[in-house]
Amino acid sequence: MQALYAQLLVGLINGSFYALLSLGLAVIFGMLNIINFAHGALYMMGAFCAYFLLNVMGIGYWPALIIAPIVVGIFGMILERTMLQWLSGLDHLYGLLLTFGLALIIQGVFQNYFGSSGLPYSIPDELKGGMNLGFMYLPIYRGWVVIFSLIVCLGTWYLIERTRLGANLRAATENPTLVRAFGINVPRMITLTYGLGVGLAALAGVLSAPINQVRPLMGENVIIVVFAVVVIGGMGSIMGSIITGFALGVIEGLTKYFYPEASNTVVFVLMVLVLLVKPTGLTGRAA
Amino acid sequence: MKSKIIASLLLGTALSVASASFAAAQDKIVKIGVLSDQSGLYADLGGPGSTLAAQMAVEDSGLTAKGWKIDVISGDHQNKPDVGTAIARQWFDVDKADVIADVPNSGVALAVNNVVKEKNGVYINSGAATSDLSNAQCSPNTVHWTYDTYMLAHSTGQALVKAGGDSWFFLTADYAFGAALERDTTAVITANGGKVVGGVKHPLNTSDFSSFLLQAQSSKAKIIGLANAGGDTTNSIKQAAEFGIVKGGQKLAALLLFITDVKAIGLETAQGLNFTETFYWDLNDQTRAFSKKFAARMKNGAPPTMVQAGVYSGLIHYFKALDALGSNPHDGIKVVEKMKSMPTDDPLFGKGEIQPNGRTIHSAYLFEVKKPSESKAPWDFYKLIGTVPGDQAFTPLAQSTCALLKK
């Protein structure tokens, strides 16, 4: 039983990464109608950004939590301005192909310079060590990841669903022409939204740098799972992807305990089941 | 007039037959295919570095000066046996390759082994670990150069059991390599009076090991044996440190660790780990000289790994055999027999021999990862703590299950 609690908690930790990443994807899909396949590569860039800040400029983990998402977010906004904006109104497939190509290029460039085995990034001193919870030894850093990503996820949800800014944003996706008539700069808002989604990916990258190694292909492994999370949660649903992210982390953790060989596939089995029963995802609305 | 034409035709035929047989006697064309993981989790320990090692072997062999024409091509097997065998077949059938070198990932290596045998090529494997290549799956076309699971189990495994680590829990990569390493290490543990209390098989290329590590922790085993490689091993070690496993009194056994892995973990976390390799760049003047040349040509300035060094040395020995034969017979079995008949001696692995089952015998070294304060230069990571002579490190011939030995 003790072991089970521990697995549940470990699942929650992984779930926080899934939630942060799928949240960014959901924001981008919900507001821009783009299936952002470059999300994994941008997550990787966030981690590399933290690595460079530390090793080149001597800037530590805490400032990196803010600087890296901004830097990568600006990079994302440049991508949106120069390429993605021309795809609005076209079929989803074009956005998917473009971002997929971008992901391959970004990963290829990083791999060319840094190889594939990864660079170390150590846990900040303040969060080293762990607590004995009785049923398991919880590294403080992992506990921090769960709490911090919960706050960020709920904050983003609040921003989009409960504030005036979010209301404008949602209105702009429903009817851009009308919103423009109220004097709101819709293209700029779309660019900033993409920057926000990308920033969330970069933030997840910084958070994961001390746990996983910083390596060019770190996003490739995780992005497929995250897409499954978004599909299960319902494309474009903010709360849906947060909840599904955490829930799937826990389910995956349990699978690792009961039948480890299947831990890589369980998410996709669930995805197939959900698609068969409710094609719009658990919380999605019919298109 | 007619007779003149016939005469000239005859002369022409005679000349062309003569030149054809001349060409056969003097065939000095060789094509080497370096098949590796070029972009995945094993790319840094093999990959482009293995191709570079092969090119350096060609340059250092001195054969080009003797009129040989040697080409090196490379391919990416993506850690998929079907991709690996497809490339191997194409190399033999279309590109007329003679040798396939490297091939990390035991699953792919065993599949390619069959293709090379079928096509009667030469297979110099450096990157794969499974000891099956010189046992149940041995082939007259195959030389297994650098290391294998038997050697890893008998050096690192044995040393740890003898030091008191008598109960083990395995974290095993779920494919041919992990299974072979766990099997060979388990044999060593039980033979030395220890026992295996449990284990978990994880998928290849896993990024999160926390669940598996918690299971290892609750097993209360003294040693957690890592029967995995590359990124899987580095992640296991880093995350074990995070969960306080080493502080809790359990010891990690990295059964297979490469220098690129130590770099990725960082000395802070990796210090004190014991493991075995058959090559390290800082062993002696010769290895240092080679590694300096190698690193200068690597994009990231990394010294050669054991696998890349093995590609170089294996090919150097192959070229010696070709030189002794005088020309390329394009007959894999014949060349491998020649390689087995000559003692091996090269600057990187020293003196040794290739046994009749295809296993190359050379010394193995037990290393310990240095403390950050002891490391004086980039890539200065290892402290040599013991040397196992070749005849003790690898499977004794009497125990080998290779069918070639039963003639």
Side-chain angles (χ1 to χ4, degrees):
Chain A
M1 204 57 210
Q2 279 197 353
L4 199 64
Y5 287 138
Q7 295 299 337
L8 284 173
L9 194 59
V10 165
L12 216 54
I13 298 166
N14 284 327
S16 1
F17 287 109
Y18 293 158
L20 265 184
L21 283 167
S22 59
L23 174 66
L25 274 182
V27 168
I28 292 172
F29 181 78
M31 306 299 148
L32 280 79
N33 261 326
I34 281 172
I35 301 174
N36 188 29
F37 238 95
H39 217 65
L42 296 162
Y43 158 78
M44 176 269 288
M45 282 180 74
F48 264 94
C49 199
Y51 177 83
F52 288 133
L53 284 173
L54 183 68
N55 290 288
V56 180
M57 293 185 238
I59 298 172
Y61 175 82
W62 299 105
L65 268 185
I66 298 164
I67 299 174
I70 292 176
V71 171
V72 181
I74 289 173
F75 176 78
M77 287 191 259
I78 295 172
L79 287 185
E80 200 277 336
R81 278 285 91 186
T82 53
M83 294 181 231
L84 287 173
Q85 67 154 327
W86 309 111
L87 299 178
S88 64
L90 290 178
D91 193 85
H92 289 322
L93 200 58
Y94 291 92
L96 188 147
L97 285 175
L98 177 71
T99 51
F100 185 57
L102 284 173
L104 290 180
I105 293 170
I106 295 170
Q107 280 171 359
V109 168
F110 275 82
Q111 205 172 17
N112 190 37
Y113 288 102
F114 302 101
S116 53
S117 54
L119 307 159
Y121 186 94
S122 59
I123 295 175
D125 288 338
E126 296 85 353
L127 298 174
K128 273 187 180 151
M131 289 175 286
N132 199 340
L133 301 182
F135 58 90
M136 78 175 285
Y137 176 89
L138 176 71
I140 290 177
Y141 186 79
R142 302 220 174 204
W144 152 253
V145 166
V146 174
I147 294 166
F148 184 69
S149 55
L150 252 181
I151 294 171
V152 172
C153 284
L154 293 177
T156 312
W157 171 81
Y158 187 84
L159 178 76
I160 290 175
E161 301 284 344
R162 291 286 182 272
T163 63
R164 186 163 177 84
L165 182 72
N168 287 345
L169 205 59
R170 279 176 292 133
T173 50
E174 287 292 319
N175 193 337
T177 330
L178 195 64
V179 174
R180 225 177 261 179
F182 287 108
I184 292 169
N185 188 340
V186 173
R188 192 175 67 197
M189 207 152 75
I190 298 281
T191 307
L192 286 173
T193 311
Y194 190 73
L196 171 72
V198 169
L200 284 170
L203 184 67
V206 181
L207 279 179
S208 89
I211 295 185
N212 301 306
Q213 297 144 32
V214 179
R215 57 197 177 96
L217 297 181
M218 64 191 287
E220 197 188 51
N221 298 331
V222 81
I223 193 68
I224 307 291
V225 177
V226 171
F227 264 104
V229 171
V230 174
V231 170
I232 295 173
M235 294 293 282
S237 156
I238 308 272
M239 200 38 121
S241 51
I242 297 174
I243 294 169
T244 326
F246 280 103
L248 281 186
V250 170
I251 291 171
E252 204 185 49
L254 292 179
T255 319
K256 279 180 178 159
Y257 182 68
F258 290 111
Y259 188 61
E261 287 89 338
S263 57
N264 266 12
T265 39
V266 63
V267 171
F268 304 102
V269 173
L270 279 173
M271 181 179 84
V272 170
L273 290 177
V274 168
L275 285 180
L276 283 175
V277 178
K278 197 164 181 295
T280 51
L282 292 178
T283 57
R285 297 152 295 191
Chain B
M1 187 64 197
K2 208 176 192 180
S3 64
K4 213 174 176 180
I5 293 172
I6 292 173
S8 62
L9 271 177
L10 279 176
L11 182 68
T13 324
L15 272 177
S16 65
V17 169
S19 65
S21 62
F22 179 78
Q26 288 296 316
D27 185 344
K28 292 190 167 182
I29 296 168
V30 184
K31 192 163 240 177
I32 293 156
V34 183
L35 184 57
S36 197
D37 172 5
Q38 305 287 1
S39 56
L41 77 170
Y42 300 150
D44 279 358
L45 61 92
S50 288
T51 314
L52 172 62
Q55 275 153 356
M56 290 177 72
V58 173
E59 291 157 20
D60 294 353
S61 70
L63 285 189
T64 16
K66 293 181 183 172
W68 290 76
K69 189 183 173 307
I70 306 167
D71 277 332
V72 176
I73 51 178
S74 67
D76 183 4
H77 65 45
Q78 301 167 27
N79 292 310
K80 293 171 186 155
D82 54 326
V83 176
T85 49
I87 294 175
R89 277 179 200 286
Q90 189 203 326
W91 279 354
F92 284 121
D93 293 343
V94 182
D95 298 304
K96 304 293 174 215
D98 299 286
V99 188
I100 291 190
D102 200 8
V103 199
N105 185 323
S106 295
V108 183
L110 288 169
V112 169
N113 190 40
N114 291 328
V115 177
V116 180
K117 191 176 175 187
E118 178 195 321
K119 303 287 181 190
N120 193 21
V122 175
Y123 188 25
I124 305 173
N125 187 298
S126 178
T130 177
S131 57
D132 288 358
L133 278 174
S134 54
N135 284 293
Q137 302 284 327
C138 76
S139 137
N141 300 76
T142 299
V143 173
H144 195 189
W145 191 271
T146 311
Y147 70 107
D148 67 21
T149 49
Y150 180 96
M151 182 280 279
L152 297 170
H154 279 257
S155 45
T156 317
Q158 190 151 327
L160 286 168
V161 180
K162 284 198 171 146
D166 54 5
S167 61
W168 285 58
F169 185 96
F170 278 105
L171 243 64
T172 305
D174 191 16
Y175 74 108
F177 152 68
L181 188 49
E182 184 181 336
R183 178 196 66 204
D184 289 351
T185 314
T186 304
V188 172
I189 295 165
T190 44
N192 286 283
K195 65 175 189 302
V196 177
V197 296
V200 54
K201 287 189 168 23
H202 66 78
L204 179 65
N205 213 355
T206 297
S207 58
D208 176 58
F209 282 87
S210 36
S211 294
F212 308 131
L213 288 166
L214 288 177
Q215 292 175 48
Q217 198 167 28
S218 56
S219 77
K220 305 270 189 291
K222 284 184 190 162
I223 308 268
I224 299 171
L226 304 176
N228 49 22
D232 285 340
T233 309
T234 56
N235 277 333
S236 311
I237 294 172
K238 279 188 74 168
Q239 293 170 15
E242 221 190 309
F243 280 93
I245 283 182
V246 179
K247 279 194 195 123
Q250 287 172 303
K251 204 169 158 63
L252 291 178
L255 293 166
L256 177 53
L257 198 67
F258 297 94
I259 189 163
T260 42
D261 300 333
V262 176
K263 167 98 172 158
I265 301 167
L267 290 184
E268 187 62 46
T269 309
Q271 58 180 308
L273 279 174
N274 292 340
F275 60 99
T276 310
E277 289 209 271
T278 53
F279 170 85
Y280 174 49
W281 68 270
D282 202 10
L283 270 180
N284 55 49
D285 286 340
Q286 288 171 313
T287 55
R288 278 188 285 271
F290 172 78
S291 303
K292 206 175 155 195
K293 275 200 303 180
F294 182 93
R297 288 168 69 171
M298 276 297 274
K299 211 171 294 154
N300 56 359
T305 63
M306 157 170 87
V307 167
Q308 291 155 351
V311 170
Y312 174 87
S313 293
L315 285 172
I316 287 283
H317 189 66
Y318 168 77
F319 293 138
K320 282 184 190 164
L322 280 187
D323 199 22
L325 287 168
S327 70
N328 186 359
H330 297 291
D331 178 345
I333 294 184
K334 197 172 162 189
V335 179
V336 170
E337 269 174 5
K338 188 74 195 169
M339 288 174 76
K340 287 177 182 170
S341 73
M342 305 164 65
T344 63
D345 184 9
D346 66 75
L348 306 189
F349 289 80
K351 290 185 195 314
E353 58 164 325
I354 304 172
Q355 293 190 324
N357 58 0
R359 178 67 253 166
T360 307
I361 301 297
H362 39 230
S363 299
Y365 308 97
L366 204 54
F367 292 110
E368 186 179 299
V369 179
K370 287 185 172 176
K371 294 190 183 75
S373 59
E374 295 169 327
S375 173
K376 302 279 179 255
W379 301 98
D380 176 20
F381 293 161
Y382 298 180
K383 209 159 41 184
L384 181 66
I385 53 172
T387 304
V388 189
D391 53 343
Q392 290 167 37
F394 292 96
T395 322
L397 272 184
Q399 284 177 30
S400 176
T401 55
C402 174
L404 293 173
L405 299 171
K406 298 196 182 77
K407 272 180 198 167

